[in-house]
Amino acid sequence: MQSALHISTSKSAFNFGSQWERRNEVQTFLPVKQNPCFRRISELPSSFKTSFHFEFEEEKLKKELKPTSPTLLPVVIRQSDGVSRYFWDGNDLKLVSVDGKPIYFDNFDDLRDGCRRLFRGCSLGVRNFLLPREINENYLEYVKWKFLHRVFSSALQVLATQAMFRAIGIGYARSLPSAAALSWVLKDGLGRLSRCIYTASLASAFDTNLKRVRFSTSVVFSLSIGLELMTPAFPQYFLFLASIANIAKQISLACYLATGTAVHRSFAVADNLGEVSAKAQIQTVCFDNLGLMLAATLNIMLKNNQRLQAGLPFVIYPIFTAIDLYGIYQSLKHVHLQTLTKDRLEMIIDAWIQLGYVPSPAEVSKREGINFFSSKGRQKWPIRIGCLNPKGQIPKLSMMAMQSLSEDDYYFVCTEVCFHGFERPEGILLCLREGASTADIIMGLLQACYIRERLPHLDIREWFKVADECKQSAKGDMKLLKEKMIELGWTCKNILLSTNERTRFSFVDD
């Protein structure tokens, strides 16, 4: 009796019940004791059930959705050939232009509309070919002045190369061809060696004084083209003139390559640095080809007059050089760098203390300019980051400031005597300790700027009291100032310092 009443608890028994529940919708007509072979035939494959279920739902959806009146849907697609919008005509979904007018040429109005659309499509195609998809407002102005710079610079380079070939041709009559080839190789080798030396000596200046170095080397590049244009007049000095010109061109090229990434990053508003760099190369190639065409056109116009063709470079050189440098100057004015240097941070802090707001990168860039002629020496109580100059006169306050240092201090502020020619104006020095963070640099410079604001009315005997009050003010402003800077797009992760500004001191607790 126990064996007859035994209920199996094996997995197969319970599995049979769960399978019966899953197939309940399909096999409701099957009895429990049906022949197993018929039960296997009645089971449906999972793929067939899925497709059957999908087709059933699609038919059901078609019956429920009745044709509605034509309407424009709130979805717009912007492509290179124009702007389109999705349109429901009652039965089907279509993509039509925004104005909804197809291009016909039955009358003058339709022809004019078609030409306007064709021009718009071509302009959008050129725009997408030359410019990144996401750019800031000053990028177009930068490209406009870059176009002016590259076209005339490329034309001058073509004429300079032509002049150097002419100079080598004159030298062939007096020397062997191998000597001319050796001269060409020597000038290239000297140029590349000078490029390495220049890049190694001014590595940090490419970050801290980008615009000044970029414009200075552009002037040097223009002068090098002038030297190359002079080689036909002095063929006996070809190696000397060509070597100096090539050294100047290699230095300018090194600066252009070193500063290019920082310039492109300032325009990468959507972190699309790769796209901005690629578009910059396309722009350079296209603009340089236009300059080559300009130089070729001038040569073709004067091909029948060799004297005018030989004197052409000397006539157009000052004109093209002035346009080239003006284009560079204007393009650099539209480069708004978001990185922080000592000078930019000082401008921001001065505006914060005096006016109560943080200037944007565009405002600082406008105030900074090219800064070709530095005015640090003419500023009253200038602030310098570095260490005390042992060759100069060290004020007693500097010694007292160093004595008051503790293990928790990562900087100290003191006065110093600056040397600018025969003048010895007093200045403020910010000394940084090894391991000082970006926050320490910002707070130290903020404290120094607060001290400078109170120096005209400060009794020197109250220096340490005022310095402590300014430090407390700097601590109170630090958080809000940094938040405002980040909100306006400033990169507050690092402060770019020059080689002299990176000098740090170590604390020794004797």
mmCIF file of all heavy atoms in Angstrom, residues 459-497:
data_model
loop_
_atom_site.group_PDB
_atom_site.id
_atom_site.type_symbol
_atom_site.label_atom_id
_atom_site.label_comp_id
_atom_site.label_asym_id
_atom_site.label_seq_id
_atom_site.Cartn_x
_atom_site.Cartn_y
_atom_site.Cartn_z
ATOM 1 N N ASP A 459 51.966 99.756 6.333
ATOM 2 C CA ASP A 459 53.186 99.995 7.099
ATOM 3 C C ASP A 459 53.970 98.690 7.115
ATOM 4 O O ASP A 459 53.447 97.631 7.472
ATOM 5 C CB ASP A 459 52.841 100.443 8.528
ATOM 6 C CG ASP A 459 54.083 100.847 9.314
ATOM 7 O OD1 ASP A 459 55.206 100.668 8.781
ATOM 8 O OD2 ASP A 459 53.919 101.327 10.446
ATOM 9 N N ILE A 460 55.230 98.754 6.702
ATOM 10 C CA ILE A 460 56.008 97.547 6.537
ATOM 11 C C ILE A 460 56.171 96.771 7.833
ATOM 12 O O ILE A 460 56.405 95.563 7.834
ATOM 13 C CB ILE A 460 57.395 97.914 5.942
ATOM 14 C CG1 ILE A 460 57.969 96.705 5.194
ATOM 15 C CG2 ILE A 460 58.339 98.422 7.009
ATOM 16 C CD1 ILE A 460 57.234 96.346 3.961
ATOM 17 N N ARG A 461 55.997 97.452 8.985
ATOM 18 C CA ARG A 461 56.079 96.772 10.265
ATOM 19 C C ARG A 461 54.878 95.871 10.522
ATOM 20 O O ARG A 461 54.908 94.997 11.378
ATOM 21 C CB ARG A 461 56.213 97.793 11.388
ATOM 22 C CG ARG A 461 57.549 98.546 11.372
ATOM 23 C CD ARG A 461 57.555 99.690 12.359
ATOM 24 N NE ARG A 461 56.556 100.706 12.000
ATOM 25 C CZ ARG A 461 56.399 101.855 12.669
ATOM 26 N NH1 ARG A 461 57.130 102.108 13.756
ATOM 27 N NH2 ARG A 461 55.498 102.738 12.274
ATOM 28 N N GLU A 462 53.799 96.089 9.795
ATOM 29 C CA GLU A 462 52.596 95.271 9.946
ATOM 30 C C GLU A 462 52.512 94.185 8.863
ATOM 31 O O GLU A 462 51.434 93.686 8.568
ATOM 32 C CB GLU A 462 51.354 96.159 9.885
ATOM 33 C CG GLU A 462 51.307 97.227 10.974
ATOM 34 C CD GLU A 462 50.081 98.099 10.838
ATOM 35 O OE1 GLU A 462 49.363 97.926 9.834
ATOM 36 O OE2 GLU A 462 49.842 98.930 11.721
ATOM 37 N N TRP A 463 53.638 93.863 8.250
ATOM 38 C CA TRP A 463 53.627 92.925 7.119
ATOM 39 C C TRP A 463 53.023 91.577 7.496
ATOM 40 O O TRP A 463 52.137 91.067 6.804
ATOM 41 C CB TRP A 463 55.053 92.747 6.596
ATOM 42 C CG TRP A 463 55.183 91.598 5.636
ATOM 43 C CD1 TRP A 463 55.512 90.313 5.929
ATOM 44 C CD2 TRP A 463 54.942 91.639 4.222
ATOM 45 N NE1 TRP A 463 55.519 89.535 4.800
ATOM 46 C CE2 TRP A 463 55.169 90.326 3.732
ATOM 47 C CE3 TRP A 463 54.572 92.639 3.332
ATOM 48 C CZ2 TRP A 463 55.043 90.010 2.389
ATOM 49 C CZ3 TRP A 463 54.450 92.326 1.999
ATOM 50 C CH2 TRP A 463 54.672 91.018 1.535
ATOM 51 N N PHE A 464 53.470 90.975 8.564
ATOM 52 C CA PHE A 464 53.021 89.622 8.902
ATOM 53 C C PHE A 464 51.555 89.594 9.308
ATOM 54 O O PHE A 464 50.848 88.626 9.030
ATOM 55 C CB PHE A 464 53.912 89.046 10.010
ATOM 56 C CG PHE A 464 55.298 88.729 9.536
ATOM 57 C CD1 PHE A 464 56.348 89.602 9.790
ATOM 58 C CD2 PHE A 464 55.546 87.579 8.822
ATOM 59 C CE1 PHE A 464 57.624 89.315 9.344
ATOM 60 C CE2 PHE A 464 56.828 87.278 8.372
ATOM 61 C CZ PHE A 464 57.873 88.160 8.634
ATOM 62 N N LYS A 465 51.095 90.670 9.964
ATOM 63 C CA LYS A 465 49.682 90.737 10.302
ATOM 64 C C LYS A 465 48.817 90.837 9.056
ATOM 65 O O LYS A 465 47.811 90.123 8.907
ATOM 66 C CB LYS A 465 49.435 91.938 11.215
ATOM 67 C CG LYS A 465 47.982 92.111 11.615
ATOM 68 C CD LYS A 465 47.798 93.355 12.481
ATOM 69 C CE LYS A 465 46.321 93.552 12.823
ATOM 70 N NZ LYS A 465 46.104 94.775 13.635
ATOM 71 N N VAL A 466 49.213 91.688 8.113
ATOM 72 C CA VAL A 466 48.467 91.838 6.854
ATOM 73 C C VAL A 466 48.564 90.560 6.024
ATOM 74 O O VAL A 466 47.581 90.127 5.396
ATOM 75 C CB VAL A 466 48.992 93.049 6.075
ATOM 76 C CG1 VAL A 466 48.349 93.121 4.687
ATOM 77 C CG2 VAL A 466 48.717 94.333 6.843
ATOM 78 N N ALA A 467 49.741 89.946 6.014
ATOM 79 C CA ALA A 467 49.903 88.706 5.248
ATOM 80 C C ALA A 467 48.995 87.608 5.778
ATOM 81 O O ALA A 467 48.401 86.837 5.000
ATOM 82 C CB ALA A 467 51.357 88.261 5.288
ATOM 83 N N ASP A 468 48.853 87.518 7.097
ATOM 84 C CA ASP A 468 47.959 86.511 7.676
ATOM 85 C C ASP A 468 46.503 86.818 7.354
ATOM 86 O O ASP A 468 45.719 85.906 7.045
ATOM 87 C CB ASP A 468 48.174 86.449 9.189
ATOM 88 C CG ASP A 468 47.385 85.326 9.824
ATOM 89 O OD1 ASP A 468 47.682 84.151 9.528
ATOM 90 O OD2 ASP A 468 46.455 85.627 10.597
ATOM 91 N N GLU A 469 46.109 88.098 7.416
ATOM 92 C CA GLU A 469 44.733 88.471 7.055
ATOM 93 C C GLU A 469 44.446 88.168 5.586
ATOM 94 O O GLU A 469 43.354 87.676 5.243
ATOM 95 C CB GLU A 469 44.516 89.959 7.347
ATOM 96 C CG GLU A 469 44.541 90.322 8.830
ATOM 97 C CD GLU A 469 44.418 91.814 9.050
ATOM 98 O OE1 GLU A 469 44.373 92.553 8.038
ATOM 99 O OE2 GLU A 469 44.366 92.242 10.222
ATOM 100 N N CYS A 470 45.415 88.443 4.712
ATOM 101 C CA CYS A 470 45.221 88.149 3.286
ATOM 102 C C CYS A 470 45.152 86.643 3.035
ATOM 103 O O CYS A 470 44.422 86.188 2.144
ATOM 104 C CB CYS A 470 46.355 88.768 2.477
ATOM 105 S SG CYS A 470 46.358 90.573 2.467
ATOM 106 N N LYS A 471 45.884 85.872 3.840
ATOM 107 C CA LYS A 471 45.809 84.422 3.692
ATOM 108 C C LYS A 471 44.442 83.897 4.093
ATOM 109 O O LYS A 471 43.902 83.001 3.424
ATOM 110 C CB LYS A 471 46.905 83.771 4.543
ATOM 111 C CG LYS A 471 47.018 82.271 4.344
ATOM 112 C CD LYS A 471 48.218 81.696 5.075
ATOM 113 C CE LYS A 471 48.376 80.212 4.790
ATOM 114 N NZ LYS A 471 49.560 79.638 5.473
ATOM 115 N N GLN A 472 43.870 84.462 5.149
ATOM 116 C CA GLN A 472 42.523 84.051 5.545
ATOM 117 C C GLN A 472 41.496 84.446 4.497
ATOM 118 O O GLN A 472 40.548 83.704 4.205
ATOM 119 C CB GLN A 472 42.174 84.670 6.905
ATOM 120 C CG GLN A 472 43.076 84.216 8.052
ATOM 121 C CD GLN A 472 43.083 82.707 8.223
ATOM 122 O OE1 GLN A 472 42.054 82.038 8.080
ATOM 123 N NE2 GLN A 472 44.264 82.163 8.534
ATOM 124 N N SER A 473 41.658 85.622 3.894
ATOM 125 C CA SER A 473 40.759 86.044 2.809
ATOM 126 C C SER A 473 40.884 85.115 1.610
ATOM 127 O O SER A 473 39.889 84.771 0.961
ATOM 128 C CB SER A 473 41.070 87.483 2.401
ATOM 129 O OG SER A 473 40.889 88.365 3.485
ATOM 130 N N ALA A 474 42.109 84.697 1.296
ATOM 131 C CA ALA A 474 42.321 83.779 0.180
ATOM 132 C C ALA A 474 41.664 82.430 0.447
ATOM 133 O O ALA A 474 41.055 81.835 -0.450
ATOM 134 C CB ALA A 474 43.821 83.613 -0.064
ATOM 135 N N LYS A 475 41.767 81.928 1.680
ATOM 136 C CA LYS A 475 41.104 80.667 2.016
ATOM 137 C C LYS A 475 39.591 80.780 1.894
ATOM 138 O O LYS A 475 38.927 79.843 1.447
ATOM 139 C CB LYS A 475 41.479 80.251 3.438
ATOM 140 C CG LYS A 475 42.899 79.741 3.586
ATOM 141 C CD LYS A 475 43.164 79.284 5.020
ATOM 142 C CE LYS A 475 44.572 78.727 5.172
ATOM 143 N NZ LYS A 475 44.841 78.289 6.569
ATOM 144 N N GLY A 476 39.032 81.935 2.277
ATOM 145 C CA GLY A 476 37.592 82.107 2.181
ATOM 146 C C GLY A 476 37.093 82.200 0.754
ATOM 147 O O GLY A 476 35.975 81.773 0.450
ATOM 148 N N ASP A 477 37.919 82.740 -0.151
ATOM 149 C CA ASP A 477 37.500 82.905 -1.553
ATOM 150 C C ASP A 477 37.853 81.715 -2.420
ATOM 151 O O ASP A 477 37.379 81.628 -3.563
ATOM 152 C CB ASP A 477 38.147 84.158 -2.144
ATOM 153 C CG ASP A 477 37.590 85.433 -1.543
ATOM 154 O OD1 ASP A 477 36.637 85.331 -0.759
ATOM 155 O OD2 ASP A 477 38.117 86.517 -1.857
ATOM 156 N N MET A 478 38.691 80.824 -1.939
ATOM 157 C CA MET A 478 39.265 79.779 -2.772
ATOM 158 C C MET A 478 38.198 78.882 -3.415
ATOM 159 O O MET A 478 38.220 78.651 -4.629
ATOM 160 C CB MET A 478 40.224 78.941 -1.924
ATOM 161 C CG MET A 478 40.914 77.834 -2.670
ATOM 162 S SD MET A 478 42.037 78.473 -3.905
ATOM 163 C CE MET A 478 42.505 76.949 -4.710
ATOM 164 N N LYS A 479 37.273 78.393 -2.644
ATOM 165 C CA LYS A 479 36.279 77.447 -3.153
ATOM 166 C C LYS A 479 35.379 78.088 -4.200
ATOM 167 O O LYS A 479 35.181 77.530 -5.291
ATOM 168 C CB LYS A 479 35.434 76.907 -1.992
ATOM 169 C CG LYS A 479 34.417 75.858 -2.413
ATOM 170 C CD LYS A 479 33.642 75.321 -1.219
ATOM 171 C CE LYS A 479 32.625 74.278 -1.656
ATOM 172 N NZ LYS A 479 31.845 73.749 -0.492
ATOM 173 N N LEU A 480 34.838 79.273 -3.895
ATOM 174 C CA LEU A 480 33.937 79.938 -4.830
ATOM 175 C C LEU A 480 34.675 80.357 -6.092
ATOM 176 O O LEU A 480 34.141 80.245 -7.204
ATOM 177 C CB LEU A 480 33.297 81.151 -4.157
ATOM 178 C CG LEU A 480 32.275 81.933 -4.991
ATOM 179 C CD1 LEU A 480 31.118 81.034 -5.409
ATOM 180 C CD2 LEU A 480 31.762 83.142 -4.209
ATOM 181 N N LEU A 481 35.903 80.827 -5.961
ATOM 182 C CA LEU A 481 36.683 81.244 -7.128
ATOM 183 C C LEU A 481 36.934 80.070 -8.063
ATOM 184 O O LEU A 481 36.771 80.188 -9.287
ATOM 185 C CB LEU A 481 38.011 81.846 -6.664
ATOM 186 C CG LEU A 481 39.030 82.208 -7.747
ATOM 187 C CD1 LEU A 481 38.479 83.294 -8.649
ATOM 188 C CD2 LEU A 481 40.354 82.636 -7.133
ATOM 189 N N LYS A 482 37.296 78.937 -7.511
ATOM 190 C CA LYS A 482 37.567 77.771 -8.347
ATOM 191 C C LYS A 482 36.296 77.268 -9.026
ATOM 192 O O LYS A 482 36.331 76.852 -10.192
ATOM 193 C CB LYS A 482 38.193 76.660 -7.491
ATOM 194 C CG LYS A 482 38.837 75.551 -8.303
ATOM 195 C CD LYS A 482 39.626 74.610 -7.420
ATOM 196 C CE LYS A 482 40.305 73.534 -8.247
ATOM 197 N NZ LYS A 482 41.094 72.602 -7.417
ATOM 198 N N GLU A 483 35.170 77.299 -8.333
ATOM 199 C CA GLU A 483 33.905 76.880 -8.939
ATOM 200 C C GLU A 483 33.530 77.781 -10.112
ATOM 201 O O GLU A 483 33.084 77.303 -11.161
ATOM 202 C CB GLU A 483 32.794 76.895 -7.880
ATOM 203 C CG GLU A 483 32.910 75.787 -6.837
ATOM 204 C CD GLU A 483 31.822 75.887 -5.789
ATOM 205 O OE1 GLU A 483 31.037 76.869 -5.844
ATOM 206 O OE2 GLU A 483 31.752 74.997 -4.914
ATOM 207 N N LYS A 484 33.709 79.076 -9.951
ATOM 208 C CA LYS A 484 33.396 80.013 -11.026
ATOM 209 C C LYS A 484 34.317 79.802 -12.227
ATOM 210 O O LYS A 484 33.885 79.887 -13.378
ATOM 211 C CB LYS A 484 33.511 81.453 -10.519
ATOM 212 C CG LYS A 484 32.454 81.847 -9.506
ATOM 213 C CD LYS A 484 31.076 81.931 -10.142
ATOM 214 C CE LYS A 484 30.036 82.400 -9.144
ATOM 215 N NZ LYS A 484 28.680 82.449 -9.750
ATOM 216 N N MET A 485 35.579 79.518 -11.964
ATOM 217 C CA MET A 485 36.529 79.295 -13.053
ATOM 218 C C MET A 485 36.177 78.038 -13.845
ATOM 219 O O MET A 485 36.209 78.036 -15.084
ATOM 220 C CB MET A 485 37.951 79.197 -12.481
ATOM 221 C CG MET A 485 38.484 80.514 -11.944
ATOM 222 S SD MET A 485 40.028 80.334 -11.018
ATOM 223 C CE MET A 485 41.098 79.678 -12.282
ATOM 224 N N ILE A 486 35.844 76.978 -13.150
ATOM 225 C CA ILE A 486 35.459 75.738 -13.838
ATOM 226 C C ILE A 486 34.166 75.940 -14.613
ATOM 227 O O ILE A 486 34.002 75.424 -15.728
ATOM 228 C CB ILE A 486 35.320 74.595 -12.813
ATOM 229 C CG1 ILE A 486 36.670 74.294 -12.162
ATOM 230 C CG2 ILE A 486 34.752 73.343 -13.461
ATOM 231 C CD1 ILE A 486 36.611 73.259 -11.059
ATOM 232 N N GLU A 487 33.243 76.704 -14.060
ATOM 233 C CA GLU A 487 31.963 76.964 -14.723
ATOM 234 C C GLU A 487 32.159 77.710 -16.043
ATOM 235 O O GLU A 487 31.428 77.480 -17.010
ATOM 236 C CB GLU A 487 31.066 77.774 -13.786
ATOM 237 C CG GLU A 487 29.686 78.080 -14.337
ATOM 238 C CD GLU A 487 28.846 78.884 -13.367
ATOM 239 O OE1 GLU A 487 29.206 78.951 -12.170
ATOM 240 O OE2 GLU A 487 27.821 79.443 -13.806
ATOM 241 N N LEU A 488 33.155 78.587 -16.103
ATOM 242 C CA LEU A 488 33.416 79.362 -17.318
ATOM 243 C C LEU A 488 34.324 78.645 -18.301
ATOM 244 O O LEU A 488 34.640 79.195 -19.363
ATOM 245 C CB LEU A 488 34.034 80.717 -16.951
ATOM 246 C CG LEU A 488 33.089 81.707 -16.271
ATOM 247 C CD1 LEU A 488 33.848 82.926 -15.788
ATOM 248 C CD2 LEU A 488 31.984 82.128 -17.233
ATOM 249 N N GLY A 489 34.742 77.441 -17.977
ATOM 250 C CA GLY A 489 35.520 76.644 -18.925
ATOM 251 C C GLY A 489 37.009 76.645 -18.700
ATOM 252 O O GLY A 489 37.755 76.096 -19.534
ATOM 253 N N TRP A 490 37.494 77.234 -17.610
ATOM 254 C CA TRP A 490 38.919 77.220 -17.347
ATOM 255 C C TRP A 490 39.372 75.827 -16.905
ATOM 256 O O TRP A 490 38.672 75.149 -16.156
ATOM 257 C CB TRP A 490 39.278 78.236 -16.265
ATOM 258 C CG TRP A 490 39.175 79.659 -16.711
ATOM 259 C CD1 TRP A 490 38.202 80.561 -16.383
ATOM 260 C CD2 TRP A 490 40.072 80.348 -17.571
ATOM 261 N NE1 TRP A 490 38.434 81.770 -16.977
ATOM 262 C CE2 TRP A 490 39.587 81.670 -17.721
ATOM 263 C CE3 TRP A 490 41.253 80.001 -18.228
ATOM 264 C CZ2 TRP A 490 40.225 82.623 -18.489
ATOM 265 C CZ3 TRP A 490 41.884 80.945 -19.000
ATOM 266 C CH2 TRP A 490 41.385 82.237 -19.126
ATOM 267 N N THR A 491 40.548 75.422 -17.361
ATOM 268 C CA THR A 491 41.130 74.141 -16.971
ATOM 269 C C THR A 491 41.931 74.338 -15.695
ATOM 270 O O THR A 491 43.048 74.877 -15.721
ATOM 271 C CB THR A 491 42.029 73.596 -18.081
ATOM 272 O OG1 THR A 491 41.275 73.513 -19.302
ATOM 273 C CG2 THR A 491 42.549 72.215 -17.726
ATOM 274 N N CYS A 492 41.372 73.903 -14.583
ATOM 275 C CA CYS A 492 41.982 74.144 -13.270
ATOM 276 C C CYS A 492 42.753 72.944 -12.744
ATOM 277 O O CYS A 492 43.139 72.915 -11.575
ATOM 278 C CB CYS A 492 40.904 74.538 -12.252
ATOM 279 S SG CYS A 492 40.021 76.061 -12.677
ATOM 280 N N LYS A 493 42.983 71.968 -13.588
ATOM 281 C CA LYS A 493 43.684 70.773 -13.117
ATOM 282 C C LYS A 493 45.167 71.059 -12.900
ATOM 283 O O LYS A 493 45.766 70.550 -11.959
ATOM 284 C CB LYS A 493 43.507 69.641 -14.133
ATOM 285 C CG LYS A 493 44.069 68.317 -13.676
ATOM 286 C CD LYS A 493 43.802 67.221 -14.707
ATOM 287 C CE LYS A 493 44.362 65.893 -14.237
ATOM 288 N NZ LYS A 493 44.101 64.810 -15.226
ATOM 289 N N ASN A 494 45.762 71.872 -13.782
ATOM 290 C CA ASN A 494 47.186 72.178 -13.685
ATOM 291 C C ASN A 494 47.407 73.653 -13.995
ATOM 292 O O ASN A 494 46.614 74.282 -14.715
ATOM 293 C CB ASN A 494 48.019 71.330 -14.667
ATOM 294 C CG ASN A 494 48.030 69.861 -14.293
ATOM 295 O OD1 ASN A 494 48.391 69.496 -13.184
ATOM 296 N ND2 ASN A 494 47.615 69.022 -15.217
ATOM 297 N N ILE A 495 48.501 74.201 -13.472
ATOM 298 C CA ILE A 495 48.945 75.549 -13.782
ATOM 299 C C ILE A 495 50.239 75.414 -14.593
ATOM 300 O O ILE A 495 51.208 74.817 -14.116
ATOM 301 C CB ILE A 495 49.202 76.398 -12.519
ATOM 302 C CG1 ILE A 495 47.994 76.333 -11.578
ATOM 303 C CG2 ILE A 495 49.524 77.828 -12.893
ATOM 304 C CD1 ILE A 495 46.743 76.961 -12.129
ATOM 305 N N LEU A 496 50.245 75.944 -15.808
ATOM 306 C CA LEU A 496 51.420 75.855 -16.666
ATOM 307 C C LEU A 496 52.435 76.916 -16.246
ATOM 308 O O LEU A 496 52.156 78.112 -16.305
ATOM 309 C CB LEU A 496 51.021 76.046 -18.129
ATOM 310 C CG LEU A 496 49.974 75.063 -18.670
ATOM 311 C CD1 LEU A 496 49.592 75.402 -20.092
ATOM 312 C CD2 LEU A 496 50.490 73.630 -18.580
ATOM 313 N N LEU A 497 53.603 76.486 -15.835
ATOM 314 C CA LEU A 497 54.645 77.385 -15.365
ATOM 315 C C LEU A 497 55.880 77.263 -16.251
ATOM 316 O O LEU A 497 56.138 76.207 -16.846
ATOM 317 C CB LEU A 497 55.025 77.051 -13.913
ATOM 318 C CG LEU A 497 53.896 77.128 -12.874
ATOM 319 C CD1 LEU A 497 54.415 76.680 -11.507
ATOM 320 C CD2 LEU A 497 53.315 78.531 -12.788
#
